[in-house]
Every structure is written in structure tokens, then in C-alpha cells.
Amino acid sequence: MNIPGYDAWRLRGPDENAGPIMEACETCSGTGICGDADGEFNCVECAGAGEVETILDEPDGDYEFERRRDAQMEGAK
């Protein structure tokens, strides 16, 4: 089977720099502007962009090991 462009796609590999995953800023609700008694100003958290980088909560290897161990112990009771 010959799929045009498949070999080039397959050999290309992953993107080198996919960039950070962004989400709406919670402080300014994604607008980039906050306000107080003195008036409006750019959000301090996102610097007026309205987006902040997402912090991924990826467990490390020890967490996965402990989680599997605890599941086995719960099953043995």
C-alpha cells in the first residue's frame, strides 16, 4: 500500500518546540485587565495577556509505584 506523503510524515517525528499549553488567567478571567479603587491596570499574573501557562500535575515514578502498591494492599484485605 502506498499512501502519498505518509513516509515523509512518519519520518518527520515530533515537533521540536510545540510551545507551552496555555489557559485563561483566573485572576482577570482572561481579559488581561484588573481593576481597583485607583482604576484599571494590566493583570499582574498574566502581564495583560489574559493567558497563563498551564501547570501539568504529572506524577513521578515514585507516585505511580506507591499507587500500585497501595492498590495491591487494598485488594489483599
Side-chain angles (χ1 to χ4, degrees), residues 20-26 30 46 50-55:
I21 300 172
M22 303 298 279
E23 66 182 9
C25 177
E26 292 182 12
C46 66
E51 294 181 322
V52 293
E53 188 174 338
T54 301
I55 299 172

mmCIF file of all heavy atoms in Angstrom, residues 20-26 30 46 50-55:
data_model
loop_
_atom_site.group_PDB
_atom_site.id
_atom_site.type_symbol
_atom_site.label_atom_id
_atom_site.label_comp_id
_atom_site.label_asym_id
_atom_site.label_seq_id
_atom_site.Cartn_x
_atom_site.Cartn_y
_atom_site.Cartn_z
ATOM 1 N N PRO A 20 4.272 26.025 25.075
ATOM 2 C CA PRO A 20 3.569 25.699 26.319
ATOM 3 C C PRO A 20 2.059 25.624 26.105
ATOM 4 O O PRO A 20 1.514 26.229 25.174
ATOM 5 C CB PRO A 20 3.925 26.866 27.239
ATOM 6 C CG PRO A 20 4.177 28.005 26.306
ATOM 7 C CD PRO A 20 4.789 27.385 25.086
ATOM 8 N N ILE A 21 1.402 24.891 26.960
ATOM 9 C CA ILE A 21 -0.055 24.810 26.949
ATOM 10 C C ILE A 21 -0.571 25.976 27.776
ATOM 11 O O ILE A 21 -0.165 26.161 28.919
ATOM 12 C CB ILE A 21 -0.537 23.465 27.529
ATOM 13 C CG1 ILE A 21 0.021 22.317 26.691
ATOM 14 C CG2 ILE A 21 -2.047 23.418 27.577
ATOM 15 C CD1 ILE A 21 -0.228 20.955 27.276
ATOM 16 N N MET A 22 -1.460 26.759 27.187
ATOM 17 C CA MET A 22 -1.946 27.968 27.845
ATOM 18 C C MET A 22 -3.399 27.791 28.279
ATOM 19 O O MET A 22 -4.156 27.035 27.664
ATOM 20 C CB MET A 22 -1.834 29.165 26.897
ATOM 21 C CG MET A 22 -0.427 29.407 26.371
ATOM 22 S SD MET A 22 0.779 29.770 27.623
ATOM 23 C CE MET A 22 0.457 31.481 27.902
ATOM 24 N N GLU A 23 -3.778 28.501 29.343
ATOM 25 C CA GLU A 23 -5.165 28.527 29.806
ATOM 26 C C GLU A 23 -5.487 29.956 30.236
ATOM 27 O O GLU A 23 -4.599 30.769 30.463
ATOM 28 C CB GLU A 23 -5.383 27.547 30.952
ATOM 29 C CG GLU A 23 -4.657 27.882 32.218
ATOM 30 C CD GLU A 23 -4.876 26.858 33.315
ATOM 31 O OE1 GLU A 23 -5.459 25.796 33.070
ATOM 32 O OE2 GLU A 23 -4.450 27.144 34.429
ATOM 33 N N ALA A 24 -6.775 30.250 30.336
ATOM 34 C CA ALA A 24 -7.209 31.596 30.713
ATOM 35 C C ALA A 24 -6.765 31.904 32.143
ATOM 36 O O ALA A 24 -6.814 31.056 33.025
ATOM 37 C CB ALA A 24 -8.716 31.721 30.595
ATOM 38 N N CYS A 25 -6.325 33.132 32.358
ATOM 39 C CA CYS A 25 -5.886 33.578 33.683
ATOM 40 C C CYS A 25 -7.095 33.672 34.612
ATOM 41 O O CYS A 25 -8.125 34.248 34.254
ATOM 42 C CB CYS A 25 -5.204 34.939 33.552
ATOM 43 S SG CYS A 25 -4.682 35.644 35.122
ATOM 44 N N GLU A 26 -6.988 33.084 35.789
ATOM 45 C CA GLU A 26 -8.096 33.111 36.748
ATOM 46 C C GLU A 26 -8.218 34.461 37.436
ATOM 47 O O GLU A 26 -9.310 34.859 37.830
ATOM 48 C CB GLU A 26 -7.905 32.013 37.792
ATOM 49 C CG GLU A 26 -8.049 30.621 37.234
ATOM 50 C CD GLU A 26 -7.898 29.549 38.299
ATOM 51 O OE1 GLU A 26 -7.905 29.878 39.498
ATOM 52 O OE2 GLU A 26 -7.757 28.382 37.915
ATOM 53 N N GLY A 30 -9.333 36.072 32.109
ATOM 54 C CA GLY A 30 -8.907 36.014 30.720
ATOM 55 C C GLY A 30 -8.957 37.339 29.982
ATOM 56 O O GLY A 30 -8.692 37.387 28.789
ATOM 57 N N CYS A 46 -0.747 37.586 34.561
ATOM 58 C CA CYS A 46 -0.530 37.270 33.148
ATOM 59 C C CYS A 46 0.112 38.410 32.371
ATOM 60 O O CYS A 46 0.299 38.293 31.157
ATOM 61 C CB CYS A 46 -1.853 36.881 32.500
ATOM 62 S SG CYS A 46 -3.059 38.212 32.413
ATOM 63 N N GLY A 50 -3.852 37.787 29.392
ATOM 64 C CA GLY A 50 -5.100 37.050 29.570
ATOM 65 C C GLY A 50 -4.912 35.549 29.633
ATOM 66 O O GLY A 50 -5.862 34.814 29.836
ATOM 67 N N GLU A 51 -3.674 35.079 29.425
ATOM 68 C CA GLU A 51 -3.378 33.653 29.462
ATOM 69 C C GLU A 51 -2.153 33.393 30.333
ATOM 70 O O GLU A 51 -1.239 34.211 30.378
ATOM 71 C CB GLU A 51 -3.079 33.116 28.065
ATOM 72 C CG GLU A 51 -4.234 33.145 27.120
ATOM 73 C CD GLU A 51 -3.850 32.570 25.769
ATOM 74 O OE1 GLU A 51 -2.720 32.793 25.306
ATOM 75 O OE2 GLU A 51 -4.694 31.884 25.186
ATOM 76 N N VAL A 52 -2.168 32.258 31.004
ATOM 77 C CA VAL A 52 -1.018 31.812 31.781
ATOM 78 C C VAL A 52 -0.680 30.389 31.358
ATOM 79 O O VAL A 52 -1.520 29.660 30.846
ATOM 80 C CB VAL A 52 -1.276 31.870 33.309
ATOM 81 C CG1 VAL A 52 -1.426 33.293 33.781
ATOM 82 C CG2 VAL A 52 -2.494 31.066 33.687
ATOM 83 N N GLU A 53 0.557 29.995 31.572
ATOM 84 C CA GLU A 53 0.988 28.651 31.217
ATOM 85 C C GLU A 53 0.355 27.638 32.167
ATOM 86 O O GLU A 53 0.326 27.845 33.377
ATOM 87 C CB GLU A 53 2.510 28.552 31.280
ATOM 88 C CG GLU A 53 3.053 27.259 30.737
ATOM 89 C CD GLU A 53 4.574 27.257 30.686
ATOM 90 O OE1 GLU A 53 5.184 28.327 30.674
ATOM 91 O OE2 GLU A 53 5.125 26.148 30.659
ATOM 92 N N THR A 54 -0.153 26.564 31.615
ATOM 93 C CA THR A 54 -0.774 25.514 32.406
ATOM 94 C C THR A 54 0.301 24.723 33.130
ATOM 95 O O THR A 54 1.315 24.342 32.543
ATOM 96 C CB THR A 54 -1.573 24.558 31.499
ATOM 97 O OG1 THR A 54 -2.564 25.315 30.816
ATOM 98 C CG2 THR A 54 -2.236 23.465 32.301
ATOM 99 N N ILE A 55 0.080 24.477 34.398
ATOM 100 C CA ILE A 55 0.993 23.651 35.182
ATOM 101 C C ILE A 55 0.414 22.240 35.197
ATOM 102 O O ILE A 55 -0.674 22.011 35.724
ATOM 103 C CB ILE A 55 1.146 24.192 36.614
ATOM 104 C CG1 ILE A 55 1.715 25.608 36.572
ATOM 105 C CG2 ILE A 55 2.020 23.254 37.440
ATOM 106 C CD1 ILE A 55 1.724 26.301 37.909
#
